Amino acid sequence: MVVVAVLVTVVDEARTLQGDKRLHYDSEGQLAPNQMGIYQYMRNSLSGGVVKLNERMKLLAILVGEAFTYATVAHESQHSRDRSAGKLTPEAEIAGEVSAFKTQYLWLKLMDPTG
């Protein structure tokens, strides 16, 4: 099934990011209160990007559950995969967001098939 394959790849990417210490909470408070996460990368490199999650995600995980808040990790991990594949560029920012939100939607649909 294509959906499962996509989600398995983003979970694997998230594990890699975490293992490489490139997935962490924004302890410096750089994210806006309504910004759940960000994928930061260097323009001249297809690897080495970092995912920062808003500290508020900890509270959100308590309120709605870790499985639902993981949708943000899936979204940012898709950015990382797209960047590694050369698909995520400053010039293709909108296409990059569409790709990441599609993955996020697939994750949420898996968590709650009733919508």
Side-chain angles (χ1 to χ4, degrees):
M1 183 188 275
V2 174
V3 172
V4 173
V6 168
L7 296 177
V8 166
T9 61
V10 296
V11 169
D12 287 345
E13 183 69 16
R15 285 182 178 144
T16 298
L17 288 164
Q18 189 173 24
D20 293 347
K21 298 190 184 336
R22 295 186 294 128
L23 170 63
H24 51 84
Y25 286 101
D26 174 31
S27 58
E28 299 87 30
Q30 295 176 341
L31 298 179
N34 64 340
Q35 189 177 15
M36 294 297 97
I38 189 169
Y39 176 70
Q40 298 175 313
Y41 62 91
M42 296 191 59
R43 193 182 254 283
N44 61 350
S45 176
L46 294 179
S47 62
V50 174
V51 172
K52 288 185 180 182
L53 301 174
N54 193 313
E55 286 279 339
R56 293 175 178 221
M57 294 291 284
K58 294 175 184 178
L59 177 59
L60 191 59
I62 293 168
L63 296 173
V64 299
E66 290 178 357
F68 284 103
T69 58
Y70 198 84
T72 299
V73 175
H75 176 106
E76 303 303 343
S77 295
Q78 184 63 53
H79 282 319
S80 179
R81 288 184 36 75
D82 288 345
R83 181 66 184 162
S84 295
K87 296 178 187 175
L88 180 63
T89 65
E91 299 77 26
E93 184 178 347
I94 292 172
E97 287 303 326
V98 169
S99 173
F101 276 114
K102 282 182 179 178
T103 299
Q104 185 172 350
Y105 171 79
L106 292 175
W107 181 267
L108 290 169
K109 188 78 172 158
L110 179 68
M111 294 301 104
D112 183 6
T114 67

